[in-house]
Amino acid sequence: MITIGQLARYIGVSTKTIRVYHDKGLFSEPDRDASGYRRYDAKDAIDLIKIRTLAEAGVPLSRIKDLRLATDEEFQQALREIDNKLTTRIRDLRATQGRLRELAAGHLAPLPTEVGAHLQHLVRWGFTPRWVDLQRDLWILVFATHPDRAITLFHDQAETLADLALRQLFLDYDRAHDLNADDPRIDNLARRIAKAIQDRYGPGEPPELDAASAIPALIQDTVNASSPAWQRVDTLIRAHLGA
């Protein structure tokens, strides 16, 4: 028979934790001996190990209390479910660890190889460094928040830029960054872009993220905030497409 302090040291928990388990009804509190001490036996140690292991796996104390009353079959099924959740959690943590290491190496987030190659194409095609940097940052955001949809959106843009006429539209948009918002060239550019969108997609919608996502609006706000001319182009394009 051992004291609560000895039990705590053997199992690797604090005496306070054991008392919490007692208060929550997870762990029966033994009677006191003639000296006024509560004494614990081997079964208590085994029970405490089970409780501690479940708690370390992230199982809520209320759920542990239920499992203490479960049949052996129910307990084994619960352990399998907990193990599956832990496997998913470990996978997610490893992915997070990978992103953390990328961040430590000076990279906000890794991009697929084909996106990196595309950014190099932008440089060779004559896009400004400002545009290339903006595209890199925005693709990082899209791939980080919507990895399942990002590659579809990227392929759509890459196909668009493979068309010389459409690429020229993007180049003109890039160079419009420093124009005054009331420059007449802005109106012409917006009409050309709106027509190109209608010609490419017809009555259908361009590829997009899920409807509930706030990322597209965040991206457009970021682009618009960098240039009054770009903001006016966006407003005019929306007006043309909505007409």
CSV table of all heavy atoms in Angstrom, one decimal, residues 212-241:
chain,number,residue,atom,x,y,z
A,212,ALA,N,-18.5,30.1,-49.7
A,212,ALA,CA,-18.5,30.7,-48.4
A,212,ALA,C,-17.1,31.3,-48.1
A,212,ALA,O,-17.0,32.0,-47.0
A,212,ALA,CB,-18.9,29.6,-47.4
A,213,SER,N,-16.1,31.1,-48.9
A,213,SER,CA,-14.8,31.6,-48.6
A,213,SER,C,-14.7,33.1,-48.7
A,213,SER,O,-15.2,33.7,-49.6
A,213,SER,CB,-13.8,30.9,-49.5
A,213,SER,OG,-12.5,31.5,-49.3
A,214,ALA,N,-14.0,33.7,-47.7
A,214,ALA,CA,-13.7,35.1,-47.7
A,214,ALA,C,-12.4,35.4,-48.5
A,214,ALA,O,-12.1,36.6,-48.6
A,214,ALA,CB,-13.7,35.6,-46.3
A,215,ILE,N,-11.7,34.4,-48.9
A,215,ILE,CA,-10.4,34.6,-49.5
A,215,ILE,C,-10.4,35.4,-50.8
A,215,ILE,O,-9.6,36.3,-51.0
A,215,ILE,CB,-9.6,33.3,-49.7
A,215,ILE,CG1,-9.4,32.6,-48.3
A,215,ILE,CG2,-8.3,33.5,-50.4
A,215,ILE,CD1,-8.6,33.5,-47.4
A,216,PRO,N,-11.4,35.1,-51.7
A,216,PRO,CA,-11.4,35.9,-53.0
A,216,PRO,C,-11.6,37.4,-52.7
A,216,PRO,O,-10.9,38.2,-53.4
A,216,PRO,CB,-12.6,35.3,-53.7
A,216,PRO,CG,-12.7,33.9,-53.2
A,216,PRO,CD,-12.3,34.0,-51.8
A,217,ALA,N,-12.5,37.8,-51.8
A,217,ALA,CA,-12.7,39.2,-51.5
A,217,ALA,C,-11.4,39.8,-50.8
A,217,ALA,O,-11.0,40.9,-51.1
A,217,ALA,CB,-13.9,39.3,-50.5
A,218,LEU,N,-10.8,39.0,-50.0
A,218,LEU,CA,-9.5,39.4,-49.4
A,218,LEU,C,-8.4,39.7,-50.4
A,218,LEU,O,-7.7,40.7,-50.4
A,218,LEU,CB,-9.0,38.4,-48.3
A,218,LEU,CG,-7.7,38.7,-47.6
A,218,LEU,CD1,-7.8,40.0,-46.8
A,218,LEU,CD2,-7.3,37.5,-46.7
A,219,ILE,N,-8.3,38.8,-51.4
A,219,ILE,CA,-7.3,39.0,-52.4
A,219,ILE,C,-7.6,40.2,-53.3
A,219,ILE,O,-6.7,41.0,-53.5
A,219,ILE,CB,-7.3,37.7,-53.3
A,219,ILE,CG1,-6.7,36.5,-52.6
A,219,ILE,CG2,-6.5,38.0,-54.6
A,219,ILE,CD1,-6.8,35.2,-53.3
A,220,GLN,N,-8.9,40.4,-53.7
A,220,GLN,CA,-9.3,41.5,-54.5
A,220,GLN,C,-9.1,42.8,-53.7
A,220,GLN,O,-8.6,43.8,-54.3
A,220,GLN,CB,-10.7,41.4,-55.0
A,220,GLN,CG,-11.1,42.4,-56.1
A,220,GLN,CD,-10.2,42.3,-57.3
A,220,GLN,OE1,-10.2,41.2,-57.9
A,220,GLN,NE2,-9.5,43.3,-57.7
A,221,ASP,N,-9.4,42.8,-52.4
A,221,ASP,CA,-9.2,44.0,-51.6
A,221,ASP,C,-7.7,44.4,-51.5
A,221,ASP,O,-7.3,45.5,-51.6
A,221,ASP,CB,-9.7,43.8,-50.2
A,221,ASP,CG,-11.3,43.8,-50.2
A,221,ASP,OD1,-11.9,44.2,-51.2
A,221,ASP,OD2,-11.8,43.4,-49.2
A,222,THR,N,-6.9,43.3,-51.4
A,222,THR,CA,-5.4,43.5,-51.4
A,222,THR,C,-4.9,44.1,-52.7
A,222,THR,O,-4.1,45.1,-52.7
A,222,THR,CB,-4.7,42.2,-51.1
A,222,THR,OG1,-5.1,41.6,-49.9
A,222,THR,CG2,-3.2,42.4,-51.1
A,223,VAL,N,-5.4,43.6,-53.8
A,223,VAL,CA,-5.0,44.1,-55.1
A,223,VAL,C,-5.5,45.6,-55.3
A,223,VAL,O,-4.7,46.5,-55.7
A,223,VAL,CB,-5.6,43.2,-56.2
A,223,VAL,CG1,-5.3,43.9,-57.6
A,223,VAL,CG2,-4.9,41.9,-56.2
A,224,ASN,N,-6.7,45.8,-55.0
A,224,ASN,CA,-7.3,47.2,-55.1
A,224,ASN,C,-6.6,48.2,-54.2
A,224,ASN,O,-6.4,49.3,-54.6
A,224,ASN,CB,-8.8,47.2,-54.8
A,224,ASN,CG,-9.6,46.4,-55.9
A,224,ASN,OD1,-9.1,46.1,-56.9
A,224,ASN,ND2,-10.8,46.1,-55.5
A,225,ALA,N,-6.2,47.8,-53.0
A,225,ALA,CA,-5.6,48.7,-52.1
A,225,ALA,C,-4.2,49.1,-52.5
A,225,ALA,O,-3.7,50.2,-52.1
A,225,ALA,CB,-5.5,48.1,-50.7
A,226,SER,N,-3.6,48.4,-53.4
A,226,SER,CA,-2.2,48.7,-53.9
A,226,SER,C,-2.2,49.8,-55.0
A,226,SER,O,-1.2,50.3,-55.3
A,226,SER,CB,-1.5,47.5,-54.4
A,226,SER,OG,-2.1,47.0,-55.5
A,227,SER,N,-3.4,50.0,-55.6
A,227,SER,CA,-3.4,51.0,-56.7
A,227,SER,C,-4.8,51.5,-56.9
A,227,SER,O,-5.7,50.7,-57.2
A,227,SER,CB,-2.9,50.3,-58.0
A,227,SER,OG,-3.3,51.1,-59.1
A,228,PRO,N,-5.0,52.8,-56.9
A,228,PRO,CA,-6.4,53.4,-57.2
A,228,PRO,C,-6.8,53.0,-58.6
A,228,PRO,O,-8.0,52.9,-58.8
A,228,PRO,CB,-6.1,54.9,-57.0
A,228,PRO,CG,-5.0,55.0,-56.0
A,228,PRO,CD,-4.1,53.9,-56.4
A,229,ALA,N,-5.8,53.0,-59.5
A,229,ALA,CA,-6.2,52.6,-60.9
A,229,ALA,C,-6.7,51.2,-61.0
A,229,ALA,O,-7.7,50.9,-61.6
A,229,ALA,CB,-5.0,52.7,-61.8
A,230,TRP,N,-6.1,50.3,-60.3
A,230,TRP,CA,-6.6,48.9,-60.2
A,230,TRP,C,-7.9,48.8,-59.6
A,230,TRP,O,-8.8,48.0,-60.0
A,230,TRP,CB,-5.6,48.0,-59.5
A,230,TRP,CG,-4.4,47.6,-60.3
A,230,TRP,CD1,-4.1,47.9,-61.6
A,230,TRP,CD2,-3.3,46.8,-59.9
A,230,TRP,NE1,-2.9,47.4,-62.0
A,230,TRP,CE2,-2.4,46.7,-61.0
A,230,TRP,CE3,-2.9,46.2,-58.7
A,230,TRP,CZ2,-1.2,46.0,-60.9
A,230,TRP,CZ3,-1.7,45.6,-58.6
A,230,TRP,CH2,-0.8,45.4,-59.7
A,231,GLN,N,-8.1,49.6,-58.6
A,231,GLN,CA,-9.4,49.6,-57.9
A,231,GLN,C,-10.5,50.0,-58.8
A,231,GLN,O,-11.6,49.4,-58.9
A,231,GLN,CB,-9.4,50.5,-56.7
A,231,GLN,CG,-10.7,50.5,-55.9
A,231,GLN,CD,-10.6,51.2,-54.6
A,231,GLN,OE1,-9.8,52.1,-54.4
A,231,GLN,NE2,-11.5,50.9,-53.6
A,232,ARG,N,-10.2,51.1,-59.7
A,232,ARG,CA,-11.3,51.5,-60.6
A,232,ARG,C,-11.5,50.5,-61.7
A,232,ARG,O,-12.6,50.3,-62.2
A,232,ARG,CB,-10.8,52.9,-61.2
A,232,ARG,CG,-11.9,53.5,-62.1
A,232,ARG,CD,-11.8,55.0,-62.2
A,232,ARG,NE,-13.0,55.5,-62.9
A,232,ARG,CZ,-13.0,55.7,-64.2
A,232,ARG,NH1,-11.9,55.4,-64.9
A,232,ARG,NH2,-14.1,56.1,-64.8
A,233,VAL,N,-10.4,49.8,-62.2
A,233,VAL,CA,-10.6,48.8,-63.2
A,233,VAL,C,-11.5,47.7,-62.6
A,233,VAL,O,-12.4,47.2,-63.3
A,233,VAL,CB,-9.2,48.1,-63.5
A,233,VAL,CG1,-9.4,46.9,-64.4
A,233,VAL,CG2,-8.4,49.1,-64.3
A,234,ASP,N,-11.3,47.3,-61.4
A,234,ASP,CA,-12.2,46.3,-60.8
A,234,ASP,C,-13.6,46.7,-60.7
A,234,ASP,O,-14.6,46.0,-61.1
A,234,ASP,CB,-11.7,46.0,-59.4
A,234,ASP,CG,-12.6,44.9,-58.7
A,234,ASP,OD1,-12.8,43.9,-59.3
A,234,ASP,OD2,-13.0,45.2,-57.5
A,235,THR,N,-13.9,48.0,-60.3
A,235,THR,CA,-15.2,48.5,-60.3
A,235,THR,C,-15.9,48.5,-61.7
A,235,THR,O,-17.1,48.1,-61.8
A,235,THR,CB,-15.2,49.9,-59.7
A,235,THR,OG1,-14.7,49.9,-58.4
A,235,THR,CG2,-16.6,50.5,-59.7
A,236,LEU,N,-15.1,48.9,-62.7
A,236,LEU,CA,-15.7,49.0,-64.0
A,236,LEU,C,-15.9,47.6,-64.6
A,236,LEU,O,-16.9,47.4,-65.3
A,236,LEU,CB,-14.7,49.8,-64.9
A,236,LEU,CG,-14.6,51.3,-64.6
A,236,LEU,CD1,-13.5,51.9,-65.5
A,236,LEU,CD2,-15.9,52.0,-64.9
A,237,ILE,N,-15.0,46.7,-64.3
A,237,ILE,CA,-15.2,45.3,-64.8
A,237,ILE,C,-16.5,44.7,-64.2
A,237,ILE,O,-17.3,44.1,-65.0
A,237,ILE,CB,-14.0,44.4,-64.4
A,237,ILE,CG1,-12.8,44.8,-65.3
A,237,ILE,CG2,-14.4,42.9,-64.7
A,237,ILE,CD1,-11.5,44.1,-64.8
A,238,ARG,N,-16.7,44.9,-62.9
A,238,ARG,CA,-17.9,44.4,-62.3
A,238,ARG,C,-19.2,45.0,-62.9
A,238,ARG,O,-20.2,44.4,-63.1
A,238,ARG,CB,-17.9,44.7,-60.8
A,238,ARG,CG,-16.9,43.9,-60.1
A,238,ARG,CD,-16.8,44.3,-58.6
A,238,ARG,NE,-15.7,43.6,-57.9
A,238,ARG,CZ,-15.7,42.4,-57.4
A,238,ARG,NH1,-16.8,41.7,-57.4
A,238,ARG,NH2,-14.7,41.9,-56.8
A,239,ALA,N,-19.1,46.3,-63.2
A,239,ALA,CA,-20.2,47.0,-63.9
A,239,ALA,C,-20.5,46.4,-65.3
A,239,ALA,O,-21.7,46.2,-65.6
A,239,ALA,CB,-19.9,48.5,-64.0
A,240,HIS,N,-19.5,46.2,-66.0
A,240,HIS,CA,-19.6,45.7,-67.4
A,240,HIS,C,-20.2,44.2,-67.3
A,240,HIS,O,-21.1,43.9,-68.1
A,240,HIS,CB,-18.3,45.6,-68.1
A,240,HIS,CG,-17.8,47.0,-68.6
A,240,HIS,ND1,-18.6,47.8,-69.4
A,240,HIS,CD2,-16.7,47.6,-68.4
A,240,HIS,CE1,-17.9,48.9,-69.6
A,240,HIS,NE2,-16.7,48.9,-69.0
A,241,LEU,N,-19.7,43.4,-66.4
A,241,LEU,CA,-20.2,42.0,-66.3
A,241,LEU,C,-21.6,42.0,-65.8
A,241,LEU,O,-22.3,41.0,-66.1
A,241,LEU,CB,-19.2,41.2,-65.5
A,241,LEU,CG,-17.8,41.0,-66.1
A,241,LEU,CD1,-17.0,40.2,-65.1
A,241,LEU,CD2,-17.9,40.3,-67.4
